[in-house]
Amino acid sequence: MKRILAVLALVFFAFVLSACSDANKPAEQKAEAITLSYANFPPKITFPCVQMERWAKEVHARTNGAVTINTFPGSTLLGAKNMLRGVQEGQADIGCLSLAYYPGVFPCTIATNLPVGFSSATVASLTLWDIFQKYKPAEFKNLKVLTMFTSAPSNVMSKKPLKSLADMRGVELRGSGSLLRMIEIMGAQPVGMPMSQTPEALQKGVVKGLASSLEVLKDFNFAEICRYETITNLPVYPFAVVMNLDKWNALPDSTKKVLNELGREQALWTGQYMDAHIREAVAWSKEKYGIEIFRLTEAEQSEIRSKGQGIIADWKAEATKAGLDANAILSDVMELKAKYETEYPATK
Ligand code: DTR
């Protein structure tokens, strides 16, 4: 019996010793454990954060648990306006950028924010991804782009019924990027701010409504305060998920491969999530708050579209000044849009 106990004790000590020496092994000899931080600006339940959680989960699974992504929604690590610099300087390893919040900084990919009449987030997200892949524009030169996506076409949500362009005259509406000009074209008063500041601005009455994709009716509970929605089919907002370049360069090839393979798939996933979620959010808002939906007349829509041509002309001038072939980019946007509209027809 004594002998058995002695053998058991020996086995136990050997086990403890080996565990200790394992803990002292240098990091590269152990299964590579990598932890990355990912900053996002809007609240956790909004679509940029839903796609972030999905991406984080996929990365963890596809690297067999080697890579863990710590997510920071709701501006807890970086906010809408310091996201770009924060990732460049390494305050966060990864960040989600709304390109329209950085006027003049992304002259190539902001082409997807022009009034070209995208029919869905799915189509616009794939178009954006392909444009980036084709042109690899210098605007992202200090960053690794992990994925891209867009919101769905923007519509107006307001506290008062805005049934026509005449009703919009002088009404303060929140937007950003090209949406500010579109709001002006419709005769309303544009007020620029990131989405994360909009709940307070609506609450305080600084704005009487906003232009965005309609899922925010549910995700920010805007349906409670904005009972009237006007279908205007305004531009989508493009987003890029970017990584600090030094951090990217330090990743093992196997991890880089997993992240690269996820790029386009994630763009498509997010576009499809967004389009389906809008339908659900509108149904929820009708049910819970009895929202009313108006639609501008065809004549009004074509008036807006033709005035929107000025925005396209100004973008062309800006892109050309940045050394880009604006005509080629725009014709690629239109071609990709047509291709993906056939592949992914909009579900009403
Ligand atoms: N409307 C754009 C993009 C956008 C649409 N939904 C959300 C939710 C959270 C943040 C941004 C967005 C915008 O206002 O930025």
Side-chain angles (χ1 to χ4, degrees):
M1 183 66 186
K2 257 191 187 162
R3 206 182 268 172
I4 293 175
L5 275 179
V7 169
L8 276 179
L10 261 175
V11 169
F12 177 73
F13 275 121
F15 176 76
V16 169
L17 264 177
S18 93
C20 286
S21 76
D22 218 34
N24 290 331
K25 265 188 201 164
E28 59 276 14
Q29 281 177 29
K30 275 190 275 175
E32 200 85 40
I34 299 166
T35 303
L36 300 169
S37 58
Y38 186 156
N40 218 326
F41 63 94
K44 198 173 166 67
I45 64 160
T46 62
F47 90 102
C49 292
V50 171
Q51 74 76 36
M52 168 172 78
E53 295 303 332
R54 187 265 174 182
W55 187 86
K57 213 173 96 206
E58 289 299 321
V59 169
H60 193 68
R62 293 180 195 198
T63 56
N64 299 317
V67 180
T68 302
I69 309 290
N70 283 339
T71 56
F72 296 86
S75 301
T76 44
L77 183 55
L78 292 170
K81 296 280 182 95
N82 65 352
M83 189 66 69
L84 177 57
R85 177 167 297 186
V87 173
Q88 282 167 337
E89 292 178 354
Q91 284 156 265
D93 300 323
I94 301 169
C96 177
L97 290 173
S98 172
L99 306 186
Y101 298 175
Y102 295 85
V105 178
F106 301 102
C108 175
T109 43
I110 202 70
T112 52
N113 184 232
L114 294 172
V116 293
F118 278 113
S119 54
S120 70
T122 305
V123 168
S125 296
L126 292 175
T127 300
L128 170 62
W129 180 251
D130 285 3
I131 287 290
F132 171 73
Q133 291 302 330
K134 175 164 179 183
Y135 289 92
K136 296 268 166 56
E139 61 209 42
F140 289 103
K141 71 174 181 301
N142 299 318
L143 296 159
K144 166 68 185 176
V145 175
L146 295 171
T147 189
M148 291 182 137
F149 54 85
T150 72
S151 65
S154 302
N155 295 302
V156 171
M157 292 153 257
S158 54
K159 296 181 180 183
K160 295 213 172 81
L162 304 175
K163 296 185 188 174
S164 64
L165 289 182
D167 289 348
M168 293 199 190
R169 196 148 302 277
V171 177
E172 298 89 346
L173 296 178
R174 171 272 162 194
S176 54
S178 75
L179 269 291
L180 289 171
R181 298 253 324 254
M182 293 305 291
I183 289 169
E184 205 174 359
I185 283 171
M186 295 192 303
Q189 178 72 40
V191 183
M193 71 183 74
M195 186 54 101
S196 31
Q197 288 171 16
T198 309
E200 199 186 327
L202 274 171
Q203 216 63 264
K204 289 192 172 156
V206 176
V207 294
K208 307 293 187 306
L210 71 147
S212 175
S213 42
L214 292 176
E215 92 293 349
V216 294
L217 287 172
K218 182 176 185 198
D219 292 350
F220 283 92
N221 201 31
F222 286 160
E224 185 178 22
I225 190 161
C226 296
R227 301 278 169 113
Y228 305 98
E229 335 307 339
T230 312
I231 303 302
T232 47
N233 286 318
L234 298 176
V236 302
Y237 285 74
F239 289 72
V241 177
V242 295
M243 183 168 179
N244 177 284
L245 201 54
D246 293 335
K247 277 281 181 167
W248 169 260
N249 288 333
L251 290 177
D253 286 347
S254 55
T255 304
K256 284 183 179 162
K257 185 164 180 281
V258 169
L259 301 193
N260 278 333
E261 281 169 2
L262 246 178
R264 184 182 190 275
E265 182 196 314
Q266 181 72 15
L268 176 59
W269 186 92
T270 307
Q272 291 182 321
Y273 165 78
M274 181 65 163
D275 291 328
H277 186 49
I278 285 175
R279 289 190 288 278
E280 184 212 330
V282 169
W284 176 89
S285 307
K286 279 184 184 159
E287 168 90 20
K288 187 160 165 94
Y289 295 112
I291 59 157
E292 275 186 73
I293 300 186
F294 313 114
R295 196 170 283 273
L296 292 184
T297 62
E298 254 324 302
E300 286 176 313
Q301 296 225 28
S302 87
E303 184 187 333
I304 302 177
R305 261 198 306 273
S306 77
K307 288 188 180 160
Q309 293 306 307
I311 301 179
I312 297 180
D314 289 351
W315 167 78
K316 277 189 183 175
E318 190 194 326
T320 308
K321 226 160 97 198
L324 297 164
D325 186 345
N327 285 325
I329 294 170
L330 190 60
S331 88
D332 279 331
V333 166
M334 299 316 285
E335 222 169 85
L336 289 161
K337 172 179 174 291
K339 171 181 145 184
Y340 286 127
E341 273 169 0
T342 312
E343 205 171 321
Y344 298 98
T347 1
K348 287 278 169 247

